[in-house]
Amino acid sequence: MRRVNAVLAMAILVMFLIHAVLGALQLIGFGTVTMRTFAWIMMALVIVHVVISTVLTVKSIMTGRETGAFYFRENRLFWARRISGFAVMVLLFFHVAAFSYTDAGVYRLAWFTTARLITQLLLVASIGVHVISNIKPMLISFGIKSLKERAPEILVALSFILLFAAAAFIIYYIRWNGV
């Protein structure tokens, strides 16, 4: 089950990176790619990932209850991964709501308010925390044990894409509101 979850996580990560770059380009006015089908496929994979992760988390909690030793202090990274994943799920709801409004069957964009901007920036931050805290176990699950060689490149690329996405949300907000 963990191997399947790792493959799902890698697929989601690749799809997210494509979605983030193409979506950011569209938000700043340099693209017209419709990503609705792509985004819904990614959402389906995310839901499967959440179900598997929830099952694995429940198993960990059950083991802690049986042994009476939860080791919260020693497992802070484990809980940071779970909490950041939960934050991503909550904020993903706001992302979908911000960009999938229909009126009488016609797709329309909802007004991009300050609250929507804040939720989108929080989504970018929570995805950053979730991916960065999970990158090491994911790479290990694929047999990549020498992380020192790849980690800096991965972190720089990811940071750049997340910064680009955050900047695109801000530019989009400015374009909507004429600030």
Side-chain angles (χ1 to χ4, degrees):
M1 188 180 305
R2 290 183 191 278
R3 179 74 171 159
V4 171
N5 207 25
V7 171
L8 275 174
M10 183 61 80
I12 293 166
L13 180 60
V14 169
M15 292 179 82
F16 163 72
L17 295 174
I18 294 167
H19 180 76
V21 170
L22 293 177
L25 288 171
Q26 192 167 2
L27 288 175
I28 61 176
F30 288 115
T32 58
V33 177
T34 303
M35 294 185 289
R36 179 179 294 174
T37 304
F38 183 80
W40 286 113
I41 291 169
M42 187 169 58
M43 178 64 88
L45 293 176
V46 166
I47 290 169
V48 174
H49 175 65
V50 167
V51 168
I52 292 172
S53 296
T54 302
V55 168
L56 293 172
T57 301
V58 168
K59 284 182 179 180
S60 295
I61 292 171
M62 299 286 280
T63 300
R65 285 184 80 175
E66 288 173 8
T67 62
F70 284 99
Y71 300 108
F72 286 115
R73 182 170 288 184
E74 293 81 0
N75 291 322
R76 288 181 293 212
L77 187 56
F78 171 84
W79 289 108
R81 291 173 182 148
R82 296 319 186 260
I83 293 167
S84 65
F86 182 74
V88 169
M89 287 311 303
V90 169
L91 293 166
L92 202 54
F93 169 78
F94 290 105
H95 182 70
V96 170
F99 294 104
S100 63
Y101 173 72
T102 57
D103 183 22
V106 177
Y107 178 75
R108 302 199 188 283
L109 288 173
W111 193 264
F112 201 71
T113 62
T114 303
R116 284 198 168 107
L117 173 65
I118 291 168
T119 60
Q120 301 316 296
L121 294 176
L122 288 172
L123 175 64
V124 170
S126 64
I127 288 172
V129 169
H130 190 65
V131 170
I132 289 169
S133 68
N134 281 293
I135 199 78
K136 183 177 178 179
M138 184 169 44
L139 291 176
I140 289 171
S141 70
F142 284 104
I144 301 170
K145 295 183 179 157
S146 179
L147 300 176
K148 289 184 181 181
E149 296 173 11
R150 297 283 175 225
E153 293 133 5
I154 292 169
L155 292 176
V156 166
L158 179 65
S159 298
F160 177 75
I161 291 170
L162 291 172
L163 182 62
F164 182 54
F169 282 126
I170 293 168
I171 291 168
Y172 185 68
Y173 173 78
I174 291 169
R175 287 177 60 205
W176 259 100
N177 295 289
V179 176

